[in-house]
Amino acid sequence: QEKYLKDVYEASQRMTALVGSLLNLARLELGTFSIEPRKTNIEEIAESVLEELLPQIKRKNIKIEKSYDKKLPAIYTDIKLTRIVFQNLISNAVKYTRERGRVNIKISKRSEDKILIQISDNGYGIPKQEQKKIFTKLYRAVNIRKVDSDGTGLGLYITKGIIEAYGGKIWFESEEGIGTTFSVIIP
């Protein structure tokens, strides 16, 4: 019974995530993403997402390394949308890192009015010939489809839309078999 209950719970979580992604996609494409900035501690958002992902992190025995600037100011940002950004980037890093791998999270003050977030892993990486498509709606790299069949290909598309709605910037560096670093600047 416990196994069945766990299976039902996990299927429910996947369905909830899919519906949430589809709603966010619709809002993004309709231009109805409502941004409600509030003074926010960005470090707390990152920590709460890590806490949420702890079961997967422990199951894969992934080492999490964190580096947060000590003088990181509270910033005005939409908490829900910023959480979606962290959820997509950190969960991808965990999902696409092999067992006993490493994920680094770095948050630093880039300038007087910008925060730099970097999420790095030593996972599968993104094949060079597919890197231009990575922020495309419903796109998933070929090497990842073999490893994980549950993804929707919406996470990075939505993340990019949120960051651009903020007036920010997102980019990545990746090498297949070595890992990936996603960088985000939030004004």
Side-chain angles (χ1 to χ4, degrees):
Q1 286 177 333
E2 186 176 328
K3 182 199 177 308
Y4 292 129
L5 186 59
K6 182 181 177 193
D7 290 347
V8 168
Y9 174 77
E10 288 175 358
S12 169
Q13 292 298 99
R14 282 193 303 274
M15 188 61 66
T16 301
L18 177 60
V19 170
S21 290
L22 291 172
L23 287 171
N24 286 331
L25 174 65
R27 289 182 193 117
L28 179 66
E29 291 182 342
L30 291 171
T32 60
F33 248 143
S34 137
I35 299 176
E36 300 172 11
R38 293 195 331 229
K39 200 168 189 174
T40 306
N41 181 324
I42 203 154
E43 184 179 328
E44 286 177 7
I45 296 173
E47 288 297 316
S48 80
V49 169
L50 279 170
E51 185 70 29
E52 178 182 293
L53 294 171
L54 203 53
Q56 292 104 303
I57 293 167
K58 284 183 175 181
R59 187 172 350 148
K60 291 179 79 175
N61 199 20
I62 292 176
K63 181 175 180 171
I64 302 293
E65 297 173 354
K66 301 179 279 189
S67 171
Y68 304 144
D69 270 2
K70 296 201 184 320
K71 296 179 182 175
L72 206 55
I75 63 171
Y76 283 90
T77 187
D78 185 295
I79 294 170
K80 289 178 192 166
L81 296 179
T82 303
R83 185 170 176 69
I84 290 170
V85 168
F86 274 107
Q87 282 172 323
N88 285 327
L89 295 178
I90 296 173
S91 69
N92 279 356
V94 169
K95 189 186 318 184
Y96 302 128
T97 295
R98 293 175 184 89
E99 288 191 24
R100 290 185 278 295
R102 176 184 94 280
V103 172
N104 298 329
I105 301 164
K106 182 179 179 183
I107 305 173
S108 56
K109 190 173 173 180
R110 174 77 179 240
S111 66
E112 209 45 50
D113 61 347
K114 292 181 179 149
I115 299 290
L116 174 65
I117 301 163
Q118 292 180 297
I119 314 285
S120 304
D121 64 60
N122 65 344
Y124 297 101
I126 303 163
K128 193 120 186 118
Q129 68 275 14
E130 298 188 43
Q131 291 184 5
K132 289 182 179 167
K133 303 175 196 169
I134 208 68
F135 292 112
T136 306
K137 178 175 42 173
L138 301 175
Y139 183 77
R140 299 187 71 226
V142 171
N143 64 333
I144 293 310
R145 284 182 271 180
K146 296 173 188 172
V147 175
D148 173 54
S149 60
D150 285 342
T152 62
L154 295 174
L156 290 175
Y157 176 78
I158 291 169
T159 297
K160 186 174 195 269
I162 291 169
I163 296 303
E164 289 177 349
Y166 281 168
K169 183 180 172 187
I170 183 170
W171 70 97
F172 69 94
E173 296 173 13
S174 185
E175 191 172 333
E176 190 172 9
I178 305 285
T180 305
T181 298
F182 277 91
S183 300
V184 173
I185 290 181
I186 297 179

